[in-house]
Every structure is written in C-alpha cells, then in structure tokens.
Amino acid sequence: MGNLKQFLFKYKHAIIILYIPIYMAWFILLEKRTDVKFIEVHCIIDDFIPFCEIFIIPYLLWFIYVAASLVFLFFQTKYIDDFYKCAAILVMGMTTSLIIYTFFPNAQNMRPDSFERENIFTNIISVLYAADTDTNVCPSIHVYNSIAIHASIATSQYFKDKKWIKNSSLILCILICMSTLFLKQHSFIDLICAAALYIFYYNIIYRQIPLQYNIHYKAGKVRRFAKSIKHHRELQ
C-alpha cells in the first residue's frame, strides 16, 4: 500500500488513465449502433488506391507505437510537460472524434468482399474486419493519434538531439497513415480530416506556450541590447 501511495504521489499524471474506460465504453456503444443513418464517406482518390495486405504490419504497429511512446513520456518526469501536451492533444482529438461520430454517424463501404490471395496477412485482416466495423471512420483516430505521437516525439526535449528516433518515428507515422488507406479501413477524406483536426489542436496546445517563451526571449534580447548601448555611452 505504501509503495502504491509513493507511486501515485510521484506520478500524479497517471490520472489520465481514467479516460481510457470512458473512451472505450463510448466507442463500443457507437460501434454497436444499427438504428441510425450513416453518411458514406468516399472520394475519387480512394478509387485509385489499391488494396495491399502487407500494410497490416504498420497498421498493427500503431498499437505498440502509441502505447510505448506514451509509457516512455509518462516516466520521463524531467520533461513531464511533453507527456502533458501529448496526453492533452490525444484526449481532445479522440473526444472530438467521438462527438462527431455521435452526432454525424459516418461509414465507408470500400472493403473488398474477397481477397485475391490468401496468406497470413489476409487472415489477420479478416479478423480485423470482423472485430472492427466500417462505421465511425471520419476523422480517423488511427491517423490522428499517429500524427499526435510523432509530433510529441519530434518536439520532446528528451529526443532533442536524437534525430534517428525522430526520423524513424516519422517513417512509421507515414506508413501507419498509408496503411489505413491501403487496407481500405479509411477514406482519404478521413485522413485529411484527422490531419486538420490535429493542426487545430496543435495550434492551441503547442503553439501558445512557445509563443510566450519567444516573447520573453525577445524582450530579454532588447533589454540586453539597451544595456549595452547605455554602457557604451557611459564609457564615452
């Protein structure tokens, strides 16, 4: 009991875990709806994107990518602001997406009826299709969270000088976003809407604090410049 208290005292930000059951319950209820009219999401670009089962690999890596990144940021208490920003933008984006799904039910109808090839990848995709309905797709939470996690890594103080990690994260993020299209899980519209939603919240959460620091930094430079001029005049 004592160890638990020490853990909770040190990691007060663990309270964010309470959002997980709320999100899961809400999402599951939306997935079970059958008595609503769904708006079909589709655009001409979707017709030019072929189905490619190999993309199930980056699609599934999303779960590890998001979870591992959050756990790592969680325990980096020296740079705890990185975790708070990441958690905040994830919660805001996911909640907004659920609200959109609730009041504007949407779905897509692009999944193949059968696969040209049968292999381990198509077998896994069959399980995915059975477990995950083709509703509640726009904006894509898969895409939104991938962008959010990469941005958190790219802007993290801990990874400031670790370019190989940032570059690896960027590549994985792009592959995950592509996988949602090539597996016919999402329309290109879902991807664009997710990116737009992220940009909106990024400007609220990430841009405000740096702007304040930037103002202080510039004000400090002006003060130092004024002092140097005053000192130079006194010497004359």
Side-chain angles (χ1 to χ4, degrees), residues 65 137 186 195:
Y65 181 52
V137 293
H186 287 280

Side-chain angles (χ1 to χ4, degrees), residues 43-215:
C43 70
I44 193 170
I45 296 177
D46 299 328
D47 298 331
F48 291 95
I49 301 174
F51 172 83
C52 185
E53 68 267 23
I54 193 69
F55 276 95
I56 188 63
I57 296 176
Y59 188 89
L60 294 180
L61 283 177
W62 175 83
F63 295 95
I64 299 174
Y65 181 52
V66 173
S69 299
L70 279 174
V71 169
F72 186 86
L73 293 174
F74 177 87
F75 286 105
Q76 291 301 317
T77 52
K78 183 179 179 181
Y79 305 109
I80 194 60
D81 282 351
D82 292 338
F83 175 79
Y84 281 130
K85 290 177 184 177
C86 181
I89 206 165
L90 285 174
V91 169
M92 294 172 74
M94 293 165 70
T95 302
T96 301
S97 297
L98 291 177
I99 292 173
I100 293 173
Y101 301 158
T102 301
F103 295 101
F104 301 97
N106 53 73
Q108 55 92 359
N109 187 29
M110 299 183 295
R111 293 177 175 179
D113 296 326
S114 60
F115 303 118
E116 294 182 3
R117 298 169 295 276
E118 185 174 345
N119 49 49
I120 186 172
F121 300 130
T122 54
N123 290 338
I124 295 174
I125 294 170
S126 295
V127 175
L128 173 65
Y129 283 177
D132 183 25
T133 70
D134 52 4
T135 62
N136 308 314
V137 293
C138 186
S140 168
I141 292 178
H142 223 78
V143 171
Y144 180 92
N145 286 1
S146 298
I147 298 174
I149 290 297
H150 170 66
S152 298
I153 292 174
T155 59
S156 171
Q157 288 297 311
Y158 182 86
F159 297 113
K160 185 177 180 180
D161 300 318
K162 298 177 176 60
K163 290 185 178 181
W164 71 272
I165 292 181
K166 294 181 181 181
N167 292 335
S168 299
S169 174
L170 176 60
I171 293 171
L172 181 55
C173 176
I174 293 173
L175 288 174
I176 290 173
C177 293
M178 290 174 61
S179 73
T180 64
L181 304 179
F182 282 95
L183 293 181
K184 298 302 177 180
Q185 281 287 85
H186 287 280
S187 164
F188 185 73
I189 296 175
D190 304 338
L191 187 151
I192 295 300
C193 289
L197 181 63
Y198 177 79
I199 291 171
F200 174 76
Y201 282 128
Y202 176 85
N203 281 284
I204 294 175
I205 296 175
Y206 282 86
R207 288 296 179 90
Q208 297 302 317
I209 295 178
L211 179 61
Q212 295 173 6
Y213 286 145
N214 194 34
I215 291 173

